[in-house]
Amino acid sequence: MQTQSADQLTRKKCLPCEGGVDPCTLEEAQAQLAELEGWQLVQDGQRIRKQWRVKNFMAGMDFFNKCAEVAEADGHHPDLHIEGYRNVAVELWTHAIGGLSENDFILAAKIDQLPISLA
């Protein structure tokens, strides 16, 4: 996978993935994450995650609804987490390959463009 800027990623659309391809390497994932602010590798480098502290519970739910719209439009769906009513997180990986693909970084870049009411 070639490293791309966040702007380049947001202009792309996630492609369907039914498996049969290798996930990106740890080195590829680290290089791509250098272009995305605040995202971290988790689960032994098989997923990426970003966390925010929002103004209140409804701000978190509003952000998740916006995430859901973007995810549905691209056909690539994240795990959404809310803890302690103000701590939200998004976790991405390509389930069909058990690791990271370009789709995860595309969706991460698009999520970064969404408005969010921070604490």
Side-chain angles (χ1 to χ4, degrees), residues 33 36-43 46-54 59-72 76-83 86-93 95 100 103-116 118:
L33 281 183
L36 298 172
E37 186 176 335
W39 290 89
Q40 299 177 343
L41 285 170
V42 296
Q43 299 286 328
Q46 295 179 356
R47 302 178 186 184
I48 57 174
R49 180 181 176 100
K50 186 170 181 176
Q51 302 179 130
W52 299 262
R53 185 169 177 88
V54 294
M61 297 311 296
D62 182 54
F63 177 64
F64 283 168
N65 284 326
K66 289 178 175 88
C67 287
E69 289 173 15
V70 170
E72 187 65 19
H76 191 63
H77 303 99
D79 284 359
L80 306 173
H81 305 269
I82 189 161
E83 297 174 10
R86 291 177 60 193
N87 302 304
V88 298
V90 175
E91 201 164 294
L92 294 161
W93 80 97
H95 299 79
L100 294 167
N103 289 346
D104 301 302
F105 299 102
I106 290 170
L107 191 54
K110 290 180 179 183
I111 288 170
D112 279 346
Q113 291 189 322
L114 297 174
I116 184 169
L118 298 174

